[in-house]
Amino acid sequence: MAVAIFDSGLGGLTVLEACRARLPEVDFLYYADSAHAPYGVRTSDNIYDLTHGAIRRIWDEGADLVILACNTASAAALRRIQEAGLPQGKRVLGVFVPMIEALTERNWGDNSPPREVSVQHVALFATPATVASRAFQRELAFRAIGVDVEAQACGGVVDAIEDGDMILAEALVRSHVDALKRKMPHPQAAILGCTHYPLMQEAFRAALGADVTLFSQAQLVADSLADYLKRHPDMLGSGGEAYLTTGDPRQVSDRATQFLRRPMPFAAA
Ligand code: DGL
């Protein structure tokens, strides 16, 4: 029995770790489309094609439920994939909704009409494709009124992380936070809207200051997955723990091991 976690690269490992800690009895199949990362600078048609191809490959491995632990794929492809219709017994879930439910003080799956919430000024840090999609603002508008969102496309951060250049990633985070603050000097909350960014959480925290509430997805996604599996135990699928990449397995294993500080043996997808 396995649940799949998909990301364009290594960022989804932050979600994988939170899910493993929350659901120790579940095996996770992690699929990194490293050969095509970063997704955040691609067109939405291209992101759709890549994401759809990866999902079909994951289904072949036996997992029925795929968590798109990639905001860019969730923003650019998820709605289209769901609208095209999924094969019988297969499900694909994104990572936006759990985060927006937390921001708007809702329980999982609360679909009541939009209402005023305590935060009014929200900074969104995400990839250029996620920002361009406006998917975050659309999902937020279904749940909250009167929230001002300023989005900052954080070009270069994902490439630097995938290359293991954390000094460059940190410098880029500082400059993107500065750019955001020029547009919105006093955000009350900041959304780290890319699974890679929790790997730079301390840099975001230092640049934003202690009084900004940081919403980071990994734990929220893990909690909502636990709730989902309680309601849908049939979605556990078949297959066991596996880590697959479309990139160079040795290089991806090294980087993943470095990030998680435990052996992460990737195989070729
Ligand atoms: N980590 C992914 C996300 O959450 C995408 C990064 C990328 O490939 O650009 O958006």
Side-chain angles (χ1 to χ4, degrees):
M1 51 168 206
V3 170
I5 296 184
F6 165 82
D7 188 57
S8 58
L10 298 171
L13 294 176
T14 55
V15 175
L16 172 73
E17 284 309 87
C19 289
R20 285 180 86 238
R22 182 74 175 73
L23 294 158
E25 69 287 4
V26 175
D27 284 336
F28 289 96
L29 162 68
Y30 186 83
Y31 187 105
D33 191 10
S34 321
H36 302 108
Y39 275 22
V41 290
R42 294 176 179 274
T43 63
S44 57
D45 280 349
N46 192 199
I47 295 167
Y48 170 80
D49 289 340
L50 290 170
T51 306
H52 204 200
I55 289 172
R56 284 197 299 260
R57 173 74 185 79
I58 289 169
W59 282 333
D60 290 344
E61 290 288 321
D64 292 335
L65 175 62
V66 182
I67 309 296
L68 286 191
C70 175
N71 292 269
T72 308
S74 301
L78 180 58
R79 176 179 282 228
R80 216 168 133 189
I81 287 168
Q82 286 172 334
E83 281 173 1
L86 301 179
Q88 179 84 22
K90 306 290 186 192
R91 287 299 302 270
V92 182
L93 302 177
V95 283
F96 265 27
V97 170
M99 193 169 57
I100 291 173
E101 286 178 337
L103 179 75
T104 56
E105 305 147 23
R106 284 173 182 248
N107 293 325
W108 314 131
D110 170 356
N111 288 324
S112 57
R115 54 180 181 255
E116 281 185 15
V117 294
S118 60
V119 288
Q120 271 110 45
H121 304 290
V122 176
L124 168 68
F125 296 96
T127 65
T130 299
V131 169
S133 75
R134 298 187 64 79
F136 178 86
Q137 288 89 331
R138 188 176 61 232
E139 292 293 339
L140 184 65
F142 290 137
R143 295 169 177 83
I145 44 180
V147 182
D148 177 22
V149 177
E150 194 62 64
Q152 176 65 33
C154 298
V157 176
V158 169
D159 310 62
I161 294 172
E162 290 285 326
D163 290 345
D165 191 343
M166 305 316 258
I167 293 174
L168 174 59
E170 216 176 296
L172 288 169
V173 166
R174 275 197 302 272
S175 104
H176 288 306
V177 171
D178 281 352
L180 182 283
K181 282 187 165 174
R182 284 196 288 276
K183 298 179 283 183
M184 179 182 272
H186 302 293
Q188 294 164 292
I191 304 284
L192 301 189
C194 169
T195 50
H196 284 71
Y197 300 169
L199 296 165
M200 303 308 300
Q201 183 145 336
E202 281 168 28
F204 275 103
R205 164 58 65 218
L208 282 162
D211 53 340
V212 177
T213 307
L214 264 193
F215 284 83
S216 180
Q217 289 168 318
Q219 195 55 49
L220 297 169
V221 172
D223 288 342
S224 83
L225 175 62
D227 178 71
Y228 180 85
L229 287 175
K230 211 187 300 161
R231 288 182 284 115
H232 304 276
D234 51 309
M235 291 310 299
L236 278 167
S238 60
E241 189 93 6
Y243 309 130
L244 301 178
T245 177
T246 55
D248 172 0
R250 188 181 306 177
Q251 193 187 49
V252 174
S253 303
D254 286 352
R255 293 266 152 75
T257 302
Q258 179 193 338
F259 285 140
L260 296 190
R261 298 194 179 94
R262 68 177 174 87
M264 290 291 297
F266 274 80

